């Protein structure tokens, strides 16, 4: 077991493309760190550099206080689980799991003992003499994990290990991964593009965007204090709603109506010296759960703006309902949001008007296609600089 | 089915359906017959020379020119004759030895080159692949005279190595093309996994990649073997004695029982004998050979 330190690491491909730029991350011994971001953000490249499968252009990588920049993968003592599992198709499960130990020339009894122990933990005992082709997707995934754990390496690296499983199995394996990491206490770096996995699994999460680390923090930190509009939009499902706003006469003018900022927000607005052109327009972010049906008993006496909208679509999930509606007043426009829309594949859908989603209590009597009055908890609003995308409240941890 | 469907209301459509159903198989049957006939004709035409050769090999010398397809008097004398002569047996040994050594070398060297081409980005890769293709296209006859002179000067004329070298020259491009197509289909992740598991690049190749590429290697080996086994041009030009003469070349030196007798029976028997291994190979591995030829052709 060991800590892993990425010290200003940069990866530039021979064709000049920058895959990872100046990434610094310190992973403590036994910590479970997630690298998350949309496809092409450099998260897998970062993982491959830790594994030694790609060279580091500049910067220093240390595993357990030892600089490993120029060490071959086999000398780094790390185990990796691949998205494709990369099981050796010509070997049985037993051989697959024992391959690393066999290469290390360990005695046969030791290999057998370790493989059988790992198989017991992962519920693979009865499949030990089968070939990967005879296993189901979930079993293959477990073999891949087994191959990593038999070695008791310094660290586990996982490259989207669950993305090839179907949804139900993925949830099940997610808890399995979590349990395994708790049990073994080994440092783990886990790459995913799924923000749910990132939120549920990690001790800490690093959000990457186009090769740069946007923010590193605990899942709660990222959710409640996103450093940039990108992190805010990426973490959380359904995503945070963003609307344009202007500051006029000490008020926030938003499509939800005029909002009187609370003390915290007033301080932020005062210390903020405006956008690039000295304009007083900014972007306001509101999480879906900070809306509520104002007709509900518990909301009736709360302060804050109420506004009437026509609900386009209402999804009742039983535990709560999602109401989708559109607002006039333009869209919040910033590169971060366009990138997020690209990643989600909703570029064409979100043209012209801003779609807003509100998460309402299940007891709400709002009906689809009808007008409804909603309430917004303005204390929870996030304020973003429209030029840099930074949260006015949480200066980025990485600059 | 038809009886269940034929309720009064559906009776008419049922009959119509049965009629169309009846017509289609008959159409298919005609097509099948046509194709089978065409196939039989083609197979017949291509097999006639071979069967004629077999027939000749079983004929007695005096009946060879009688024009009968099926020999009137069957004899194994031709076979006994060629196996009794060192000219043929020694040539068979040469053929086997030279073809096997060339095949092993071509597969070993070819795998290394193909692996590099499939996996690594190195300067001059395009040039190397292009050059390999160029060599494969090169007219072999144009090399014969220079090689003849060169081999005599450096002293490898009429030796095994003197034949193995030109065979490698022309079979390596084929081997590289076929093998690199197979290597390309092996997921790169497997190699990364092996490296992370602690394998050196050589171990990763030998223990993970090579076993998976085995079908490709077998295919390549067969193709190369057939090429070397069948070659006549180099064999006749670069050999002069039994020391290294292979069967296709040796057949040309067969003599009849007397000065005036034609050695046709012996030639036919020898031709049949050296065709047999090829036929066995092709029958056993025909699917793989086709896969190897097409993968090399399409993906090269």
């Amino acid at each position: 077991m060991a800590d892993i330190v990425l010290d200003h690491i940069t990866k530039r491909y021979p064709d000049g493309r920058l895959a990872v730029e100046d990434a610094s991350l310190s992973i403590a011994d036994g910590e479970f760190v997630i690298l998350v971001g949309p496809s092409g953000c450099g998260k897998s490249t970062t993982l491959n550099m830790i594994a030694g499968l790609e060279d580091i252009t500049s910067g220093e990588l240390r595993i357990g206080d030892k600089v490993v920049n120029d060490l071959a993968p086999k000398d780094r003592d790390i185990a990796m689980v691949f998205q494709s599992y990369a099981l050796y198709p010509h070997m049985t499960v037993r051989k697959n799991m024992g391959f690393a130990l066999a290469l290390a020339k360990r005695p046969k009894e030791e290999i057998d003992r370790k493989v059988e122990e790992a198989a017991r933990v992962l519920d693979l005992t009865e499949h030990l003499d089968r070939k990967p082709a005879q296993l189901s997707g979930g079993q293959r995934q477990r073999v891949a994990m087994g191959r990593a754990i038999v070695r008791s390496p310094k660290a586990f690296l996982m490259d989207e290990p669950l993305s090839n499983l179907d949804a139900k199995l993925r949830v099940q394996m997610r808890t399995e991964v979590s349990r395994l990491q708790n049990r073994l206490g080994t440092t783990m770096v886990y790459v995913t593009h799924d923000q749910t996995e990132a939120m549920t699994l990690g001790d800490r999460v690093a959000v990457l965007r186009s090769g740069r680390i946007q923010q590193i923090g605990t899942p709660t930190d990222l959710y409640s204090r996103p450093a940039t509009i990108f992190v805010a939009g990426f973490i959380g499902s359904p995503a945070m709603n963003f609307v344009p706003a202007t500051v006029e006469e000490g008020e926030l003018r938003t499509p939800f109506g005029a909002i009187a900022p609370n003390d915290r927000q007033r301080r932020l607005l005062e210390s903020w010296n405006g956008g690039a052109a000295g304009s007083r327009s900014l972007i306001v972010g509101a999480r879906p759960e900070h809306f509520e049906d104002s007709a509900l008993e518990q909301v009736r006496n709360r302060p804050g703006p109420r506004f009437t909208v026509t609900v386009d679509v209402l999804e009742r999930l039983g535990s709560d309902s999602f109401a989708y509606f559109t607002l006039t007043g333009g869209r919040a426009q910033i590169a971060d949001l366009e990138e997020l829309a690209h990643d989600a594949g909703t570029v064409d859908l979100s043209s012209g008007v801003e779609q807003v989603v509100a998460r309402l209590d299940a007891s709400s009597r709002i009906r689809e296609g009808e007008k409804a009055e909603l309430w917004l908890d303005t204390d929870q609003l996030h304020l973003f600089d429209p030029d840099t995308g930074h949260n006015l409240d949480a200066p980025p941890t990485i600059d | 089915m038809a009886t269940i469907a034929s309720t009064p209301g559906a009776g008419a459509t049922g009959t119509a359906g049965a009629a169309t159903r009846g017509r289609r198989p008959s159409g298919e049957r005609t097509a099948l017959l046509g194709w089978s006939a065409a196939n039989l004709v083609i197979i017949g035409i291509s097999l006639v020379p071979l069967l004629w050769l077999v027939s000749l090999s079983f004929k007695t010398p005096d009946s060879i020119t009688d024009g009968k397809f099926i020999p009137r008097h069957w004899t194994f004398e031709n076979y006994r004759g060629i196996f009794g002569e060192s000219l043929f047996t020694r040539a068979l040994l040469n053929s086997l030895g030279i073809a096997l050594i060339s095949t092993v070398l071509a597969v070993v060297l070819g795998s290394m080159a193909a692996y590099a081409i499939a996996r690594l980005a190195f300067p001059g890769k395009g040039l190397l692949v292009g050059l390999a293709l160029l060599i494969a296209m090169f007219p072999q006859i144009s090399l014969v005279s220079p090689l003849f002179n060169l081999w005599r000067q450096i002293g490898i004329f009429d030796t095994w190595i003197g034949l193995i070298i030109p065979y490698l020259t022309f079979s390596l491009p084929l081997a590289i093309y076929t093998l690199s197509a197979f290597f390309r289909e092996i997921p790169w992740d497997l190699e990364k996994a092996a490296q992370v598991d602690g394998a050196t690049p050589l171990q990763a190749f030998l223990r993970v990649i090579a076993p998976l590429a085995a079908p490709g290697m077998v295919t390549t080996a067969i193709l190369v073997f057939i090429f070397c086994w069948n070659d006549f041009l180099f064999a006749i030009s670069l050999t002069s004695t039994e020391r290294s003469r292979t069967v296709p070349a040796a057949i040309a030196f067969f003599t009849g029982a007397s000065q005036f007798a034609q050695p046709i029976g012996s030639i036919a028997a020898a031709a049949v004998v050296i065709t047999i291994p090829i036929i066995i190979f092709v029958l056993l591995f025909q699917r793989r050979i086709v896969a190897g030829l097409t993968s090399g052709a399409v993906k090269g």
Side-chain angles (χ1 to χ4, degrees):
Chain A
M1 281 188 270
D3 59 333
I4 300 173
V5 179
L6 283 74
D7 196 355
H8 297 283
I9 284 194
T10 295
K11 170 76 190 181
R12 188 186 288 279
Y13 284 110
D15 62 3
R17 198 165 56 84
L18 205 56
V20 176
E21 193 181 354
D22 198 25
S24 291
L25 175 63
S26 167
I27 302 162
D29 187 6
E31 197 177 17
F32 194 157
V33 168
I34 312 269
L35 303 179
V36 70
S39 43
C41 70
K43 56 193 190 302
S44 287
T45 311
T46 308
L47 199 73
N48 283 340
M49 284 193 286
I50 299 176
L53 296 170
E54 294 205 42
D55 337 316
I56 296 165
T57 312
S58 69
E60 204 173 78
L61 174 70
R62 293 188 292 272
I63 300 177
D65 290 332
K66 193 170 144 206
V67 179
V68 295
N69 281 35
D70 297 322
L71 280 189
K74 70 185 180 69
D75 301 320
R76 297 193 184 191
D77 193 19
I78 31 96
M80 186 159 171
V81 175
F82 293 83
Q83 181 175 6
S84 63
Y85 313 146
L87 302 180
Y88 311 122
H90 57 298
M91 297 184 194
T92 59
V93 169
R94 186 187 298 277
K95 287 259 173 60
N96 258 290
M97 286 167 66
F99 187 60
L101 296 174
L103 283 175
K105 301 223 163 35
R106 300 282 184 80
K108 199 172 175 316
E109 311 83 66
E110 185 193 335
I111 298 177
D112 282 346
R113 185 169 48 78
K114 286 194 167 168
V115 167
E116 267 152 35
E117 191 188 316
R120 205 168 45 247
V121 171
L122 292 163
D123 203 12
L124 283 170
T125 311
E126 57 195 301
H127 305 301
L128 273 178
D129 294 310
R130 296 201 184 157
K131 294 265 178 76
Q134 295 163 282
L135 303 178
S136 71
Q139 288 162 346
R140 286 181 208 180
Q141 209 281 331
R142 295 209 299 276
V143 176
M145 304 266 283
R147 197 167 62 181
I149 66 173
V150 288
R151 292 175 47 197
S152 328
K154 280 186 188 151
F156 291 126
L157 307 179
M158 307 228 166
D159 191 358
E160 309 207 16
L162 306 182
S163 61
N164 283 346
L165 300 177
D166 62 56
K168 200 174 167 192
L169 203 54
R170 187 159 30 193
V171 174
Q172 197 186 329
M173 281 310 293
R174 204 165 69 203
T175 52
E176 204 60 45
V177 170
S178 192
R179 193 171 301 144
L180 206 63
Q181 204 270 342
N182 285 338
R183 217 182 99 119
L184 300 168
T186 309
T187 315
M188 192 179 287
V189 186
Y190 185 109
V191 160
T192 178
H193 66 263
D194 178 356
Q195 62 89 25
T196 320
E197 270 174 36
M199 293 294 283
T200 50
L201 283 174
D203 295 331
R204 277 194 308 154
V205 178
V207 182
L208 279 85
R209 177 196 172 202
S210 359
R212 290 188 140 259
I213 296 180
Q214 294 267 307
Q215 188 175 7
I216 303 167
T218 64
T220 332
D221 266 352
L222 294 187
Y223 192 80
S224 55
R225 282 168 57 101
T228 66
I229 204 163
F230 182 83
V231 175
F234 192 79
I235 301 288
S237 174
M240 190 186 278
N241 302 296
F242 298 100
V243 291
T246 50
V247 187
E248 276 169 49
E249 297 160 12
E251 281 188 329
L252 274 173
R253 301 264 163 89
T254 71
F256 305 119
I259 297 169
N262 64 12
D263 289 349
R264 177 183 68 92
Q265 289 157 342
R266 196 184 309 279
R267 261 200 316 281
L268 290 172
L269 287 172
E270 275 162 10
S271 59
W272 180 59
N273 45 18
S279 84
R280 299 299 282 166
S281 63
L282 40 72
I283 293 174
V284 165
R287 294 250 178 233
E289 64 268 31
H290 297 143
F291 293 91
E292 197 47 275
D293 177 4
S294 70
L296 291 177
E297 193 68 40
Q298 66 268 35
V299 182
R300 201 162 288 164
N301 296 322
R302 291 192 200 162
R306 277 147 222 274
F307 54 98
T308 307
V309 290
T310 309
V311 176
D312 299 326
V313 175
L314 188 72
E315 295 174 345
R316 290 189 189 280
L317 301 182
S319 54
D320 40 34
S321 309
F322 293 120
Y324 296 84
F325 54 91
T326 52
L327 288 171
T328 51
R331 296 181 57 207
Q333 300 238 332
I334 183 166
D336 299 46
L337 290 176
E338 273 165 40
E339 196 173 317
L340 285 168
H342 257 290
D343 187 52
T346 56
V347 180
D348 305 330
L349 300 176
S350 55
S351 56
V353 284
E354 186 63 42
Q355 168 141 301
V356 177
V357 53
R359 179 172 170 176
L360 308 175
D361 195 274
S363 60
S364 160
R365 294 185 179 284
I366 285 175
R367 300 249 290 274
E368 200 167 283
E370 290 183 3
K371 286 202 181 306
E373 194 187 45
L374 298 179
W375 166 83
L376 174 63
D377 184 357
T378 54
D379 286 348
Q380 308 281 353
L381 288 185
H382 296 276
L383 307 175
F384 297 98
D385 185 311
D387 299 310
T388 60
H390 289 167
N391 191 340
L392 300 191
D393 193 9
T397 44
I398 302 294
D399 209 32
Chain B
M1 275 277 288
T3 45
I4 296 166
S6 60
T7 50
T13 48
T15 340
T20 40
R21 244 177 279 139
R23 246 197 323 272
R24 207 186 300 127
S26 89
E28 277 170 13
R29 214 173 297 136
T30 325
L32 191 71
L33 275 175
W35 280 114
S36 309
N39 283 340
L40 281 176
V41 168
I42 291 167
I43 291 170
I45 291 174
S46 20
L47 275 186
V48 161
L50 191 68
L51 291 176
W52 191 251
L53 205 64
V54 174
S55 154
L56 283 179
S57 74
F58 287 110
K59 282 181 176 179
T60 52
D62 52 334
S63 66
I64 273 182
T65 50
D66 66 358
K68 294 272 187 299
F69 192 76
I70 295 165
R72 264 179 304 176
H73 307 289
W74 291 79
T75 172
F76 284 95
E77 200 48 49
N78 292 321
Y79 289 93
R80 218 169 285 137
I82 55 165
F83 278 106
E85 257 184 90
S86 74
L87 179 65
F88 181 74
T89 48
R90 175 66 212 199
L92 201 58
L93 202 68
N94 288 338
S95 261
L96 266 178
I98 290 172
L100 283 178
I101 293 174
S102 308
T103 304
V104 169
L105 284 176
V107 171
V108 170
L109 296 175
S111 330
M112 292 177 184
Y115 185 67
I117 286 169
R119 283 288 190 261
L120 308 174
F122 55 88
K125 178 165 139 180
L127 189 73
L128 182 79
V129 175
L131 218 59
L133 192 66
L134 187 79
I135 291 168
M137 303 286 173
F138 207 78
Q140 302 180 356
I141 187 75
S142 62
L143 276 181
V144 166
S145 331
L147 279 184
F148 176 75
N149 283 324
L150 186 64
W151 270 203
R152 280 200 313 174
Q153 275 166 30
I154 62 174
I156 56 171
F157 178 74
D158 196 23
T159 57
W160 279 22
I161 187 80
L163 276 182
I164 289 172
I165 291 173
Y167 287 172
L168 278 182
T169 310
F170 285 97
S171 59
L172 262 179
L174 174 79
I176 291 173
Y177 262 76
T178 316
L179 282 169
S180 63
F182 275 94
F183 282 135
R184 243 175 246 131
E185 277 167 28
I186 297 172
W188 204 337
D189 271 357
L190 288 179
E191 212 176 320
K192 291 187 186 171
Q195 282 183 36
V196 173
D197 270 348
T200 60
L202 184 68
Q203 280 173 320
F205 178 75
L206 290 181
R207 300 184 62 164
V208 176
I209 303 300
L212 292 175
M217 291 188 183
V218 172
T219 308
T220 310
I222 292 166
L223 292 173
V224 171
F225 184 85
I226 291 175
F227 167 78
C228 302
W229 185 259
N230 286 351
D231 175 73
F232 175 71
L233 185 64
F234 290 114
I236 196 78
S237 322
L238 302 178
T239 61
S240 59
T241 66
E242 278 180 17
R243 203 149 67 98
S244 64
R245 194 180 278 146
T246 60
V247 177
I251 289 176
F253 289 89
F254 279 3
T255 49
S258 75
Q259 197 183 337
F260 306 103
Q262 290 287 323
I264 292 176
S266 316
I267 291 176
V272 170
V273 169
I274 64 162
T275 310
I276 288 170
I278 301 293
I279 291 178
I280 293 174
F281 266 148
V282 171
L283 287 182
L284 283 181
F285 299 105
Q286 54 173 330
R287 205 163 281 193
R288 286 202 170 149
I289 291 172
V290 171
L293 288 173
T294 52
S295 65
V298 178
K299 293 198 168 177

